């Protein structure tokens, strides 16, 4: 694998602090707390963002849950919202929220700095892209040679050599496992099948859960890999460099012939917020090149904002651009994902 080199977060954060000094008097500090929902608060992201936001004049409270759980929470609060802003969810989740009329359209000041095709396909400006993520199947390349690793997710449960040697998830509330399942199920699209999926496709999902080693609560998959409990596990690409550093390993990634699923994390304003102007200012700041460059340096993410890409660690950009992206019909996924998740939770999750 192309080793991802850790960027210098100190320099990026220092530059961001200088920018924040100039924006602290912009009127963002209204004295009210902005409630920010996200599924991207792990690995210290929530605390870091809260600190950076304070320097920029925003008082925020980050509320983190899995992508599916965050989406369901916003849907449940429709008409009486708790959150003001949401970020981190991908297009599939945001399309559900838009259909339920829970998102307030807004065009941020950095709209011309991103590829609009990565955002709201409707062109209505309901949500805007901030971070690109590859959903990876990873392993310890110091211990396992690439030639001995699986070539595809499907090998994990169809090749006896990998039986019980990969982590299978025990909850479908997380965005990552939902994207993994989507990447598998869409290969078996069948208009005559249950929820558009053939019997063969559902059989593959069943084997994923019955053949894997169930995740252990509050134990990172890379800890289990280092301890020898499993050899393979899923994670978003931005989580890879930090785990390489934390566990002192070189990570390998499986690159299926069909490609790896890619998702784009988005940001938007919740419809009905009583802090609309402050929410707009927060979105303008959060998706801007300076903040996204600092976010990339701190958390090894691949930005969408071109100004942030220009400042990002070259190895991060090269790694993501070198991956083949799986061609997934996201409209098909959006239409069927809630039903797929319910079926998997009821019938297959161990």
């Amino acid at each position: 694998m192309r080793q991802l080199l850790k960027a210098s977060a100190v320099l990026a954060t220092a530059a961001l602090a200088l920018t924040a000094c100039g924006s602290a008097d912009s009127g963002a500090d209204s004295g009210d707390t902005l409630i920010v929902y996200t599924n991207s608060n792990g690995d210290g992201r929530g605390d870091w963002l809260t600190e950076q936001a304070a320097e920029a004049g925003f008082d925020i409270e980050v509320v983190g849950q899995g992508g599916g759980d965050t989406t369901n929470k916003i849907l449940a609060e429709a008409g009486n919202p708790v959150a003001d802003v949401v970020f981190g969810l991908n297009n599939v989740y945001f399309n559900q929220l838009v259909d339920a009329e829970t998102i307030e359209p807004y065009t941020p000041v950095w709209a011309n700095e991103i590829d609009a095709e990565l955002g709201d396909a409707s062109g209505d400006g309901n949500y805007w892209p901030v971070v690109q993520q590859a959903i990876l199947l990873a392993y310890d390349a110091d211990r396992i040679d690439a030639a001995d690793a699986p070539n595809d997710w499907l090998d994990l449960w169809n090749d006896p050599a990998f039986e019980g040697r990969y982590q299978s998830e025990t909850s479908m509330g997380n965005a990552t496992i939902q994207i993994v399942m989507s990447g598998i199920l869409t290969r078996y699209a069948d208009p005559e099948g249950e929820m558009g999926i053939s019997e063969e496709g559902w059989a593959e999902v069943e084997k994923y859960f019955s053949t894997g080693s169930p995740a252990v609560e509050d134990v990172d998959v890379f800890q289990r890999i280092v301890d020898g409990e499993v050899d393979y596990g899923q994670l978003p690409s931005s989580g890879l460099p930090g785990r390489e550093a934390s566990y002192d390993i070189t990570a390998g990634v499986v690159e299926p012939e069909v490609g790896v699923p890619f998702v784009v994390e988005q940001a938007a304003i919740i419809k009905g917020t009583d802090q609309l102007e402050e929410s707009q200012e927060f979105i303008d700041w959060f998706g801007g090149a300076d903040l996204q460059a600092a976010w990339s340096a701190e958390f090894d993410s691949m930005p969408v904002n071109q100004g942030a890409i220009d400042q990002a660690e070259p190895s991060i950009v090269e790694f993501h651009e070198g991956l083949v992206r799986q061609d997934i019909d996201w409209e098909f996924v959006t239409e069927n994902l809630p039903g797929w998740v319910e079926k998997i939770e009821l019938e297959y999750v161990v």
Side-chain angles (χ1 to χ4, degrees), residues 57-142:
F58 297 98
D59 177 17
I60 70 171
E61 178 182 344
V62 176
V63 179
Q65 287 183 300
D69 293 335
T70 297
T71 302
N72 290 335
K73 188 174 180 63
I74 294 171
L75 292 173
E77 295 168 355
N80 188 28
V82 174
D84 301 294
V85 175
V86 56
F87 79 89
L89 304 179
N90 59 52
N91 305 55
V92 173
Y93 294 127
F94 267 111
N95 286 338
Q96 295 176 23
L97 296 176
V98 170
D99 289 344
E101 300 183 351
T102 62
I103 297 298
E104 179 72 31
Y106 175 65
T107 301
V109 296
W110 42 265
N112 63 348
E113 301 171 17
I114 55 94
D115 180 356
E117 292 186 358
L118 297 176
D120 182 6
S122 73
D124 293 334
N126 291 290
Y127 53 85
W128 295 83
V130 287
V131 171
Q132 304 176 63
Q133 292 274 20
I135 306 303
L136 303 173
L137 176 60
Y139 59 93
D140 180 359
D142 294 329

Side-chain angles (χ1 to χ4, degrees), residues 139 141 143-151 155-156 159 161-162 231-232 254:
Y139 59 93
R143 187 165 54 86
I144 296 175
D145 190 273
D148 297 323
N151 295 312
D155 293 342
L156 293 175
D159 186 335
F162 306 117
D231 297 321
Y232 307 95
V254 175

